[in-house]
Every structure is written in structure tokens, then in C-alpha cells.
């Protein structure tokens, strides 16, 4: 009898620890939602632009990751749809000083960019500032 109760207790602990581990390794988002990705064509031209945009997006609510591919000028943002929208993220790109798809950059933010990051400076021989 003692062996049976010990076996039951061990089985209970094993099942409890597995369910706790499963909950930690696969967190459920509110309403079963997952992350989504959106891409924007930007006016970014160099590695300084990349650092500036990725850092700026990291502060936006709901953003999980942001990556700018400098050669294609495409910014890929992974975000939680219950926290933000593609329109809000596009506006955040504009507020940083860059175009986002068909929307032009905020003029004041654009004017604060270093000269190498401005789209009028189309010849960039050194993208590692």
C-alpha cells in the first residue's frame, strides 16, 4: 500500500511538472492571438538608418522585433495585433524621419537625420558610418 501511494504521488508530480513546463514554453496570447508581420518600403539608405529605425520600433507598443534590410530598404516588423496596427507602425516609421510605403516622412524628423541618411543624398559609397 505504501508503494502504491508513493507511485501515485510520483506520477502526480510528474504530470504537474510537465503541464507547468508546457505553459511556460508556449505562452498563449490574449484570445489565442499570435504575432503577425508587416513590411514597409522605407527611404532608409545606410546602416545608421537601420540602427535608428530598429531602435525606434523597439519602443513601439506591441512590437516584438524589427529588421531593416538595407539593400532592399524593406523594414519587417513582428508585432502583436492586439497591441498595435500596421497603420500605427507606419506612422511610427514616419515619425522617425523615414518614408513608409506611399506615406512620406515627418518633415521635422527628416530634417534632424544626419545628411548620410537623407534620401536626397542618393550616392552612398560607405554604408558603415
Amino acid at each position: 500500500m505504501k508503494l502504491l501511494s508513493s507511485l501515485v504521488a510520483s506520477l502526480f508530480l510528474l504530470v504537474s511538472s510537465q503541464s507547468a513546463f508546457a505553459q511556460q514554453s508556449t505562452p498563449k496570447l490574449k484570445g489565442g492571438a499570435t504575432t503577425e508581420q508587416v513590411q514597409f518600403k522605407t527611404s532608409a539608405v545606410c546602416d545608421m538608418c537601420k540602427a535608428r529605425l530598429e531602435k525606434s520600433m523597439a519602443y513601439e507598443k506591441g512590437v516584438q522585433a524589427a529588421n531593416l534590410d538595407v539593400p532592399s530598404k524593406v523594414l519587417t516588423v513582428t508585432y502583436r495585433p492586439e497591441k498595435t496596427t500596421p497603420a500605427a507602425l507606419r506612422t511610427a516609421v514616419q515619425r522617425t524621419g523615414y518614408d513608409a510605403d506611399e506615406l512620406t516622412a515627418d518633415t521635422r524628423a527628416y530634417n534632424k537625420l544626419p545628411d548620410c541618411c537623407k534620401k536626397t543624398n542618393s550616392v552612398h559609397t560607405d554604408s558603415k558610418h
Side-chain angles (χ1 to χ4, degrees):
M1 194 52 119
K2 190 173 188 178
L3 179 60
L4 182 59
S5 66
S6 176
L7 183 59
V8 169
S10 296
L11 185 59
F12 176 75
L13 287 173
L14 180 63
V15 170
S16 297
S17 66
Q18 284 181 344
S19 66
F21 177 74
Q23 289 174 355
Q24 291 174 357
S25 62
T26 55
K28 300 273 184 191
L29 296 177
K30 191 179 199 179
T34 59
T35 58
E36 293 183 13
Q37 279 191 342
V38 65
Q39 292 185 323
F40 305 115
K41 182 73 171 179
T42 69
S43 55
V45 293
C46 64
D47 285 33
M48 280 181 69
C49 298
K50 176 179 173 69
R52 179 175 282 105
L53 269 171
E54 290 175 358
K55 182 178 180 180
S56 172
M57 295 309 289
Y59 289 104
E60 291 298 314
K61 184 177 181 178
V63 171
Q64 301 295 303
N67 183 45
L68 175 69
D69 180 60
V70 176
S72 69
K73 300 181 179 186
V74 173
L75 177 68
T76 303
V77 182
T78 304
Y79 68 99
R80 293 178 55 184
E82 72 276 7
K83 299 283 185 183
T84 191
T85 65
L89 297 173
R90 192 176 287 110
T91 300
V93 171
Q94 287 181 282
R95 285 192 325 257
T96 306
Y98 298 94
D99 296 349
D101 293 334
E102 70 283 348
L103 303 175
T104 57
D106 175 80
T107 304
R108 289 179 65 186
Y110 176 79
N111 289 337
K112 291 179 183 179
L113 293 176
D115 287 340
C116 64
C117 294
K118 294 184 177 177
K119 58 188 171 187
T120 56
N121 187 7
S122 60
V123 179
H124 292 279
T125 56
D126 179 22
S127 65
K128 296 177 182 169
H129 301 278

